[in-house]
Amino acid sequence: MSPPDDSSTLHELRLRELHHRMRNGLHLLSSALQVQARRSGNEDVRRELGVAVSRIESLVRLHDHAYRQEPGVVPDASAYLANLAQHLQSALIDPRSNRLVTITSNDELPLDSDAAMSLGSVLIELATNAVKYSAGNVHLDVEYGPGLVTVTVEDEGVGFPPELELPADAGFGLRLVGRICEQHGGMLAIDRSVAFGRIIAVIGLGR
């Protein structure tokens, strides 16, 4: 992988700063909910708040896993994706639900710490968007090709609204993914050839 240019380096720094702010915000929210749970005299309320706190703490672990990669260290890609899938399941899916979030990959990915962080960001945002706006299970496929990684996310919902266009109508998560793909010489696109939800993100490994 060639050294990143100044714009890519700045983008990675901004991603790390975004993670830091989100992590602090999640910790504050978790603390506030724990206080409310202790003050509540209703067992059902305490139980629901406990579930919420558990999922928020899973979100913190998810972001730590995606962003806390040691600079210059090449992570074990298979273990990285397997752990990320577990964290996504815990953070995004209510433990009482039977929905699943899964990740598969076709090969050992040649990831350095920055590439792993960018890929992790894309997977987190696309999985979060799919779980929030679709139905059924969510599957993320990570396919390595020469000089790039293609992420395909599929759900069991009815697909994206026909009037939704990228990036004009995208929310923060999809705009972030589009920006990451653009910074790495790739692209983000909705696949409307299927009756369910499918979105494809391409990340170049040469930047």
Side-chain angles (χ1 to χ4, degrees):
M1 184 173 182
S2 60
D5 59 25
D6 290 342
S7 62
S8 294
T9 300
L10 179 60
H11 186 64
E12 305 300 347
L13 290 174
R14 286 174 176 170
L15 276 179
R16 292 184 187 278
E17 175 63 19
L18 176 63
H19 154 68
H20 179 71
R21 293 184 181 185
M22 290 182 66
R23 189 176 189 276
N24 287 347
L26 288 169
H27 273 307
L28 288 172
L29 179 58
S30 176
S31 297
L33 290 178
Q34 289 179 62
V35 170
Q36 291 299 317
R38 287 194 295 268
R39 290 177 176 175
S40 176
N42 186 301
E43 181 61 31
D44 290 336
V45 170
R46 287 199 299 270
R47 183 169 54 250
E48 291 300 317
L49 288 174
V51 170
V53 167
S54 177
R55 293 181 67 186
I56 290 170
E57 291 175 347
S58 293
L59 276 172
V60 173
R61 290 192 295 272
L62 172 64
H63 281 271
D64 280 347
H65 177 72
Y67 292 103
R68 286 192 171 181
Q69 299 297 317
E70 292 296 328
V73 175
V74 179
D76 180 327
S78 296
Y80 177 81
L81 293 177
N83 289 334
L84 187 62
Q86 292 179 356
H87 290 313
L88 285 169
Q89 179 73 30
S90 298
L92 301 180
I93 304 298
D94 189 304
R96 295 159 294 191
S97 170
N98 59 3
R99 296 182 74 183
L100 295 175
V101 177
T102 56
I103 301 177
T104 57
S105 62
N106 70 328
D107 205 347
E108 190 73 16
L109 299 170
L111 300 178
D112 62 14
S113 59
D114 286 342
M117 186 176 68
S118 294
L119 176 61
S121 300
V122 167
L123 292 171
I124 289 171
E125 295 300 334
L126 291 182
T128 300
N129 192 75
V131 169
K132 183 177 181 180
Y133 294 108
S134 73
N137 299 328
V138 175
H139 179 68
L140 302 93
D141 180 67
V142 182
E143 184 174 353
Y144 168 65
L148 58 83
V149 174
T150 300
V151 176
T152 303
V153 181
E154 297 181 347
D155 58 61
E156 297 176 352
V158 297
F160 291 87
E163 67 275 10
L164 189 147
E165 297 292 340
L166 299 178
D169 302 321
F172 173 78
L174 289 184
R175 290 201 307 271
L176 176 62
V177 172
R179 182 61 175 162
I180 293 171
C181 293
E182 178 184 334
Q183 284 284 347
H184 290 269
M187 63 88 183
L188 177 68
I190 296 171
D191 182 356
R192 300 188 187 276
S193 67
V194 295
F196 49 87
R198 177 189 285 165
I199 192 166
I200 299 170
V202 177
I203 306 169
L205 294 177
R207 299 188 179 187

